[in-house]
Amino acid sequence: MRSVQRTTTGAAGDRSLVRDSSLVWLASGVVGVSFGAVSVTGGLPVWVPVLMSLVVYAGSAQFSAVGVLLAGGGPAAAVATGLLLNTRTAAFSLAVAEIIGTGRAGRFLGAHLVTDETVAFALAQPDPARQRRAFWISGLGLFAVWNAGVLAGALAGSALGDTARYGLDAAFPAVLVALVLPVLRADAAVRRCALLGAALALAATPAVPAGVPVLLALAGLLLHRRPAAAPGAAA
């Protein structure tokens, strides 16, 4: 009876995680369609955005790399741009290292699934077990929907027009705000870091390429302080 109850509870919890992740998946699919369509209408063959989405799997870095290619830049410049914008995931990986697990294959796959959305969604959960399930459910779903969207957009080409005109790209920041609000309410130190990071990102946005303001926002962590040691605690 106890094992049956535990299984039922776990299945119900997984269904709730799928439900909560669905909005992020929907937004990812829309942006993926846009990326595939923009890449192909700009002159790239269908296989380029499709392969990039499978191997690189980094939305902002992919858009920036394709932008460099379509502007006449070489592959080396495109790769350098993508790497620069994707360096923020190094900090994200540290945050979820324990959540992903310890197996070599699991950590390799988990590292590929680390994104802004999967990390925020996982860390918003109340306990380590649910954090791990949230990471894998949201990460695998997001990967599948993103790649399906990119393939659909690449095959449809210019028939779709500019998907950004519908305003659906606003779903990503809206979901991220909803995920981080509980932490911001509970921790004043995190609020200070977030405010400084947001101010730096907003100030830099008009002057730097897309994606770089996110990297600059990491400087907000300079305001974070470790809790003071209790009196008499061992050094």
Side-chain angles (χ1 to χ4, degrees), residues 2-51:
R2 188 173 300 173
S3 61
V4 172
Q5 183 179 3
R6 186 181 298 114
T7 301
T8 303
T9 303
D14 289 348
R15 285 196 296 271
S16 69
L17 291 174
V18 170
R19 183 187 64 244
D20 295 342
S21 300
S22 59
L23 180 58
V24 181
W25 296 346
L26 175 61
S28 174
V30 171
V31 178
V33 169
S34 177
F35 173 72
V38 167
S39 301
V40 172
T41 56
L44 296 177
V46 170
W47 66 266
V48 171
V50 172
L51 181 61

Side-chain angles (χ1 to χ4, degrees), residues 37 41 153 155-162 165-166:
T41 56
L155 294 176
S158 58
L160 294 172
D162 184 10
R165 65 184 176 180
Y166 302 110

Side-chain angles (χ1 to χ4, degrees), residues 47-153:
W47 66 266
V48 171
V50 172
L51 181 61
M52 184 184 294
S53 295
L54 288 169
V55 177
V56 178
Y57 184 52
S60 60
Q62 289 181 227
F63 271 104
S64 298
V66 166
V68 170
L69 292 174
L70 296 182
V79 170
T81 300
L83 287 174
L84 173 64
L85 297 183
N86 229 28
T87 52
R88 70 186 189 281
T89 58
F92 297 161
S93 298
L94 294 175
V96 296
E98 297 300 324
I99 295 174
I100 292 175
T102 57
R104 181 174 299 179
R107 292 181 73 86
F108 181 80
L109 176 59
H112 194 55
L113 299 179
V114 170
T115 65
D116 308 65
E117 297 77 28
T118 55
V119 171
F121 187 62
L123 295 181
Q125 307 307 315
D127 60 81
R130 187 170 173 86
Q131 286 177 344
R132 181 172 289 107
R133 294 200 305 274
F135 175 85
W136 286 105
I137 289 174
S138 63
L140 291 171
L142 194 64
F143 181 81
V145 172
W146 169 260
N147 281 279
V150 170
L151 177 61

Side-chain angles (χ1 to χ4, degrees), residues 187 189-190 192-193 220-228:
D187 194 325
V190 173
R192 290 194 296 270
C193 295
L221 295 174
L222 294 174
L223 290 184
H224 192 271
R225 296 288 184 269
R226 291 183 178 181

